[in-house]
Amino acid sequence: MDKKRRQIVAGNWKMNLNQRQAIELTNDINEYISDHTIPEQLKVVICPSLPYVASCAGDVWEDTKPIFGVGGQNCHTESSGAYTGETAPEMLRDVGCEYVLIGHSERRKYFNESHAFLAEKVNKALDVGLIPIFCCGEALDIREAGTHEAHVATQLRESLFHLSKENFERVIIAYEPVWAIGTGKTATPEQAQSMHAAIRQLIEQQYGKDTANSVSILYGGSCKPANAASLFSQPDVDGGLIGGASLKAESFTKLIEIMMGEMGNL
Ligand code: PEP
């Protein structure tokens, strides 16, 4: 399939790995990228846990930099101040991050992050030059009630659709059905495609066709080598946000390989 949009294989390491493992995994990914001819249109991103994000970002090899980026898993809305335990987006930039996850379902659930707070985070991340990877997705009861598209539409409208067209085009969207995250239950390729197409349609209504066609929409939720090809081959799926399968070099690099295959680059 000839996909023109930026394709992305992104790993969300969550609260996993120790320092040695994080550095080893970063280097294994460096090695894989260095050993293969990876098209510039494909980006590989890792989001290590906070104590290791600086060393992982500093460990990206010079020759892999155009392909390989590092992101934070979260950021605050302020640049500095009395926010114990929080991280300013400027700090992520300062240590070499290019990306930041915003609105992951675990942040929404355990830290009660509201639509409005996420909108502020998106603004701030963009202000300092980070690319937000904005996560959206519905819980199982919402899917079962058949209101999943309306639910995701609200998440996008409330936290993203205030952006100018220019800023919106810098955002990456990750559709992550909550019932598929860490459960081993993946959305079928048809379910993923149908939601991604619905998201693109909403973007088109808000910003026009060119913007809708330019924004990368990733799928996340138990994506692994065994199911990635069928997901990545969907016309509106531009890669994956990967949790569990991003923690081992073997499975994560396999996902990069599968993506390259889908892009016709193997
Ligand atoms: C995630 O946390 O973003 C995720 C998709 O996790 P997993 O791949 O483990 O379901």
Side-chain angles (χ1 to χ4, degrees):
M1 170 164 308
D2 178 22
K3 288 199 177 170
K4 302 228 170 350
R5 281 181 290 273
R6 180 174 44 175
Q7 303 292 295
I8 298 151
V9 178
N12 173 14
W13 294 357
K14 310 194 190 192
M15 200 171 69
N16 292 301
L17 306 179
N18 61 30
Q19 188 169 22
R20 181 187 52 78
Q21 291 166 328
I23 293 300
E24 258 176 36
L25 184 48
T26 306
N27 279 323
D28 288 342
I29 299 166
N30 271 319
E31 221 164 88
Y32 181 88
I33 294 173
S34 195
D35 287 350
H36 292 78
T37 310
I38 303 205
E40 284 227 5
Q41 187 205 356
L42 171 55
K43 298 288 171 213
V44 175
V45 179
I46 53 168
C47 300
S49 51
L50 191 61
Y52 312 133
V53 87
S55 30
C56 292
D59 237 51
V60 171
W61 296 350
E62 221 36 60
D63 67 316
T64 63
K65 271 190 182 146
I67 304 292
F68 191 8
V70 175
Q73 295 178 10
N74 177 39
C75 66
H76 195 54
T77 56
E78 300 296 326
S79 302
S80 64
Y83 299 100
T84 302
E86 287 295 329
T87 307
E90 285 89 339
M91 294 169 178
L92 294 176
R93 277 301 280 161
D94 197 26
V95 299
C97 287
E98 293 175 74
Y99 300 86
V100 63
L101 301 181
I102 293 181
H104 191 281
S105 61
E106 288 149 17
R107 301 286 321 170
R108 292 177 191 261
K109 179 176 172 191
Y110 300 124
F111 302 95
N112 297 316
E113 295 192 349
S114 67
H115 297 313
F117 191 44
L118 296 177
E120 277 186 59
K121 289 189 186 205
V122 168
N123 292 344
K124 185 69 181 175
L126 287 167
D127 272 358
V128 309
L130 288 169
I131 298 173
I133 302 178
F134 180 82
C135 306
C136 56
E138 79 288 352
L140 187 59
D141 56 333
I142 295 171
R143 165 71 54 173
E144 285 174 348
T147 53
H148 43 288
E149 286 187 10
H151 180 83
V152 168
T154 301
Q155 292 177 321
L156 299 180
R157 280 199 193 101
E158 298 290 320
S159 303
L160 287 185
F161 282 1
H162 63 283
L163 293 172
S164 67
K165 183 177 159 83
E166 192 189 29
N167 271 340
F168 185 83
E169 287 175 357
R170 293 162 58 202
V171 174
I172 295 165
I173 293 174
Y175 167 59
E176 301 204 297
V178 180
W179 46 272
I181 297 179
T183 58
K185 230 193 247 177
T186 321
T188 64
E190 295 72 25
Q191 285 172 321
Q193 169 55 28
S194 157
M195 181 61 93
H196 284 225
I199 292 172
R200 217 175 285 290
Q201 179 76 31
L202 285 167
I203 300 172
E204 184 176 334
Q205 282 161 11
Q206 185 72 18
Y207 294 102
K209 208 175 186 58
D210 288 352
T211 301
N213 284 335
S214 74
V215 169
S216 302
I217 308 175
L218 317 185
Y219 168 79
S222 298
C223 181
K224 48 184 185 269
N227 57 29
S230 60
L231 289 160
F232 293 171
S233 63
Q234 298 303 311
D236 286 296
V237 176
D238 302 310
L241 178 56
I242 321 290
S246 71
L247 295 173
K248 292 239 156 64
E250 197 189 350
S251 46
F252 192 61
T253 56
K254 186 74 194 165
L255 290 167
I256 302 171
E257 184 188 309
I258 291 168
M259 176 50 89
M260 286 203 288
E262 289 306 321
M263 294 169 75
N265 261 83
L266 272 188

